[in-house]
Amino acid sequence: MMPEALRTSLQARVAAAVTPREAAVDVMKELQAHYGWLTDEAVGEAARLLGLSELQVEELATFYEMIYRRPVGKKVIHVCDSISCWCACCEEIMRHLKERLGVEPGGTSADGMFTLLPCCCMGMCGDSPAMSVNGTPYGKLTPELVDEILARERALAS
Amino acid sequence: MPKLIIDDIAVEVPAGTNVLEAARSVGITIPHFCYHPALAIAGACRLCAVKLLDGPVKGIQMSCSLPAQDGMVVSTTDPEALQLRSMVIEWLMINHPHDCPVCDEGGECLLQDFTIAGGHGRRRYQGKKRTFLNQYLGEGIQHEMNRCIECYRCVRFYQDYAGGTDFGVTGSAGRVYFGRFADGALESPFSGNLVDICPTGVFTDKTGRFRARYWDYEFAPSICPHCSVGCNTSPQNFQRELIKVVARRNDQVNGWFICDRGRFDKGYVNDGRRPRQPMIDGVACGYEEALDALAGRISDFIGMNGTGSLALVGSARLSLEGAILLGELARYLDGAQLCYFADSSLSGGSLAAVQLLNEQNAASLSDLEGADCIALLDLDLMQEGPMLALAVRKAALAGAQVYLVAAEPGAAQKDLPFRCTAVGSLDEVPLEGGGQGGRRLRRRRKGARTAGPPGLDRSEVGHAAAGGERLRRGAAGP
Ligand code: SF4
Ligand code: FES
């Protein structure tokens, strides 16, 4: 169940939108921040807030890669695999992360710390290859730099 | 009216016609999957490619989303267009299972037809295919998502055209999935049209699967017997059994679609207790023999009791042909009682409606779709004529004001696939302004329509007709 304060603020957000659909991404992100991922319960709550059906929320939720419809680790790593990063060997970065974390894309490391996901262009082509960890962008990646970042993010989390 | 040349044939089409339809008007079929005349353009499949050799645009173009323009020179057979189409098919077929022999769509599958027509006959792709889990969608429709070619026809029909909210598209890129949030029966009373509209076998009619192939069926152009809208259908018969019912296009009535009652509700036709052949006193015989016996018995009866004691009983659900023949029989048996209704208020209402109907106030479903103002008179649209609801929805989406005259609006309003304003009586339907937020009504150029249920009595019908007339006159001004 979402807390009353969250409900009230989301209701206000929906009311301020020209059409409720427009507020859908904000509502899903807020609910995801609260639950850790967009649970089935959260989909239902979003649907009721937005006046949409659960399916219509699911349509949007599953379109956006930063909305998680499954449980994720403490931090989510998005590795860009669009054209610029691909030209800059993002596949090597992905391979390195898979090895370090011991997971395939979509998986969560055994300690529950990191979930690894590929993603579309983050607008960091100038700094490719790029990734983000819980929203913090990192560019000009090398395997060494990735190790440093993982260590730093792990330290920050504890 | 743009004039263009398609494959050396001069074509003139109304402005706004796309090149695909322009070609169709002179008998050239350009292969297509996502394009459907009743739905908004998606440009999703890329199969309808043609090459423009000259004119305002040049090169390879998608004919479904290209409006015909003056001076266009179009080739549907240019090698570049042909090659592109065959490559598009090959790529659409990459994930498609090799299951035609066990697929109920086989033989009536647009994908089969256009794969062959598009020139793709040999699979080169050796990789793994993308696969999905299917959903339970109710007793009407079988789901087989692996066959999907992502044309988006289904969701454009289900949500955009029919106003359903429980079926749609999830995921992105190569993972798009067409289904529900969770397993469960489709809620839309028009869900069965997915069977007709999907170009391949993702949705097949569960009530008639694995019984026969398309070429086995006997077809006859028919009219749905379930309500008075009279949607055109094409029943598929095999060995004297009704296997499936599909929609038959009629632009004045049902367009391309029918409702689920018309499609799936057919058990009574195949009921084993239904007499399948003429019988005399329970003994099977030929038609002529049976008719002779019937005529003999009627004349015996009349000889004994007089024609006045004979009642010929029809029903408002009788087909027009049957109703007319019954009337002729009554005229022939001068003096026999003829009746179509179970009580006199029903017959009074129908009579009044017939007397008041004229060329100006009679409306077809397509008139309804183009109306600017619609008043629904104490009517449960989803019961009385579900396809009417889709016509009203179309008008409402185009900006028509819809009023529901109802004593208890809540219940009747609940399942309607469009927004309407509830009013207490027909007199409250405003001629100008009113409605939500005082928005002015658009000029009722295309006139207003009233529709009511069959149970109205004579004075109610008269009142409705007068209301319609008042609205219509309101329409005449600038
Ligand atoms: S399910 Fe059928 S209609 Fe829907 S996108 Fe797939 S192929 Fe097209
Ligand atoms: S029919 Fe034109 S792109 Fe699909």
Side-chain angles (χ1 to χ4, degrees):
Chain A
M1 266 271 287
M2 76 175 123
E4 216 32 59
L6 180 58
R7 184 190 308 278
T8 325
S9 86
L10 289 178
Q11 275 165 345
R13 173 68 190 89
V14 175
V18 180
T19 65
R21 231 172 225 277
E22 203 184 290
V25 170
D26 287 355
V27 168
M28 291 191 296
K29 281 175 83 175
E30 293 287 324
L31 287 170
Q32 172 163 295
H34 173 70
Y35 288 101
W37 57 289
L38 197 73
T39 59
D40 285 0
E41 186 189 355
V43 170
E45 283 165 342
R48 281 186 290 282
L49 280 164
L50 295 161
L52 299 174
S53 68
E54 287 180 327
L55 177 269
Q56 286 168 325
V57 172
E58 181 81 334
E59 289 184 317
L60 297 167
T62 55
F63 179 81
Y64 293 108
E65 62 201 10
M66 299 204 181
I67 301 291
Y68 314 126
R69 282 289 282 119
R70 288 186 205 160
V72 287
K74 268 210 182 101
K75 299 195 168 189
V76 182
I77 304 178
H78 287 270
V79 184
C80 175
D81 63 2
S82 292
I83 183 109
S84 301
C85 288
W86 181 74
C87 294
C89 295
C90 66
E91 283 169 334
E92 195 191 321
I93 301 300
M94 184 53 113
R95 204 177 314 124
H96 186 71
L97 276 161
K98 286 198 311 197
E99 253 173 51
R100 278 287 178 273
L101 303 175
V103 294
E104 287 298 308
T108 300
S109 57
D111 59 358
M113 181 58 73
F114 294 112
T115 295
L116 181 61
L117 290 173
C119 77
C120 292
C121 185
M122 297 188 283
M124 292 177 64
C125 307
D127 289 332
S128 55
M131 69 176 192
S132 71
V133 182
N134 259 24
T136 312
Y138 295 99
K140 298 205 166 74
L141 297 174
T142 59
E144 297 72 39
L145 187 54
V146 166
D147 287 342
E148 271 175 43
I149 294 168
L150 288 182
R152 190 174 340 140
E153 290 284 350
R154 214 184 278 277
L156 281 174
S158 49
Chain B
M1 297 262 289
K3 289 192 182 110
L4 63 166
I5 295 173
I6 303 178
D7 290 350
D8 300 327
I9 305 173
V11 188
E12 188 170 358
V13 286
T17 310
N18 61 38
V19 170
L20 191 144
E21 287 293 355
R24 180 138 59 189
S25 73
V26 290
I28 301 169
T29 305
I30 301 170
H32 59 274
F33 288 131
C34 66
Y35 173 73
H36 189 288
L39 306 178
I41 302 287
C45 74
R46 318 312 281 173
L47 182 60
C48 63
V50 292
K51 186 158 176 187
L52 279 91
L53 306 175
D54 207 356
V57 260
K58 290 212 185 69
I60 295 284
Q61 298 286 339
M62 295 305 130
S63 60
C64 71
S65 27
L66 184 68
Q69 291 164 53
D70 266 330
M72 282 180 163
V73 180
V74 182
S75 168
T76 70
T77 55
D78 181 273
E80 206 185 325
L82 287 186
Q83 198 205 0
L84 184 93
R85 293 210 294 259
S86 87
M87 286 181 345
V88 166
I89 294 264
E90 181 167 12
W91 138 55
L92 289 176
M93 288 297 290
I94 277 183
N95 290 302
H96 195 81
H98 271 163
D99 66 346
C100 300
V102 294
C103 172
D104 207 54
E105 188 88 358
E108 44 191 321
C109 175
L110 210 62
L111 184 60
Q112 275 185 332
D113 295 349
F114 285 147
T115 298
I116 301 304
H120 171 59
R122 177 173 283 267
R123 182 182 294 264
R124 290 186 291 174
Y125 176 70
Q126 297 293 325
K128 263 195 165 179
K129 292 182 188 179
R130 160 225 66 192
T131 54
F132 293 109
L133 295 175
N134 298 323
Q135 286 181 323
Y136 170 78
L137 298 179
E139 288 309 301
I141 291 182
Q142 180 72 32
H143 197 209
E144 178 48 74
M145 247 316 280
N146 289 344
R147 297 182 184 139
C148 178
I149 56 159
E150 296 95 31
C151 69
Y152 287 72
R153 275 189 184 193
C154 51
V155 55
R156 278 179 291 153
F157 169 77
Y158 199 93
Q159 290 204 19
D160 304 351
Y161 194 96
T165 58
D166 64 314
F167 170 93
V169 52
T170 57
S172 66
R175 297 169 301 269
V176 287
Y177 184 89
F178 297 82
R180 299 184 79 247
F181 182 66
D183 280 30
L186 291 166
E187 287 162 12
S188 167
F190 308 102
S191 66
N193 292 298
L194 295 180
V195 173
D196 292 357
I197 207 159
C198 175
T200 175
V202 178
F203 309 104
T204 47
D205 186 335
K206 216 186 234 181
T207 64
R209 292 202 319 149
F210 306 139
R211 303 300 312 283
R213 282 294 188 201
Y214 191 73
W215 46 84
D216 295 325
Y217 296 135
E218 281 177 283
F219 291 89
S222 275
I223 308 249
C224 175
H226 285 285
C227 80
S228 58
V229 173
C231 292
N232 289 205
T233 60
S234 212
Q236 305 184 334
N237 256 51
F238 178 59
Q239 292 180 342
R240 302 205 68 193
E241 186 180 346
L242 179 56
I243 310 279
K244 290 180 206 164
V245 178
V246 297
R248 183 165 58 94
R249 182 181 177 189
N250 183 330
D251 289 341
Q252 267 74 53
V253 189
N254 52 309
W256 294 79
F257 307 114
I258 54 174
C259 76
D260 286 1
R261 209 192 309 162
R263 183 182 305 267
F264 296 128
D265 200 351
K266 55 179 191 253
Y268 64 94
V269 181
N270 296 327
D271 192 322
R273 288 164 301 179
R274 234 186 110 206
R276 297 259 158 177
Q277 47 193 347
M279 284 186 280
I280 300 175
D281 298 329
V283 181
C285 63
Y287 270 102
E288 289 303 321
E289 207 184 322
L291 283 174
D292 286 347
L294 179 64
R297 287 191 191 181
I298 290 178
S299 69
D300 286 353
F301 178 88
I302 291 173
M304 248 186 317
N305 307 298
T307 42
S309 322
L310 183 68
L312 300 173
V313 184
S315 129
R317 296 250 150 153
L318 210 55
S319 70
L320 210 50
E321 296 87 335
I324 288 171
L325 282 176
L326 198 66
E328 287 210 342
L329 185 61
R331 246 188 310 284
Y332 180 74
L333 302 170
D334 196 17
Q337 307 290 321
L338 175 63
C339 81
Y340 292 101
F341 298 95
D343 72 63
S344 53
S345 77
L346 280 176
S347 72
S350 288
L351 201 62
V354 169
Q355 280 164 350
L356 291 164
L357 269 181
N358 56 44
E359 269 179 34
Q360 273 78 45
N361 64 13
S364 69
L365 249 72
S366 62
D367 293 331
L368 203 58
E369 288 173 355
D372 285 351
C373 178
I374 297 172
L376 302 168
L377 216 55
D378 205 7
L379 179 73
D380 186 346
L381 216 47
M382 301 313 270
Q383 272 306 315
E384 300 298 346
M387 285 303 290
L388 280 169
L390 285 192
V392 177
R393 174 177 160 83
K394 210 165 173 184
L397 287 179
Q401 296 278 316
V402 184
Y403 296 93
L404 178 69
V405 183
E408 292 165 68
Q413 232 169 334
K414 196 174 56 104
D415 298 320
L416 293 176
F418 49 81
R419 247 183 246 247
C420 60
T421 312
V423 291
S425 82
L426 194 57
D427 303 317
E428 285 171 43
V429 174
L431 271 180
E432 205 60 55
Q436 289 125 358
R439 206 178 100 216
R440 277 173 67 86
L441 292 187
R442 290 197 304 136
R443 188 161 74 104
R444 296 193 188 83
R445 214 168 356 96
K446 296 186 193 138
R449 302 295 166 203
T450 48
L456 294 183
D457 70 18
R458 184 181 279 271
S459 70
E460 287 168 324
V461 172
H463 188 55
E469 182 58 21
R470 186 168 58 91
L471 288 171
R472 205 169 58 75
R473 274 203 308 277

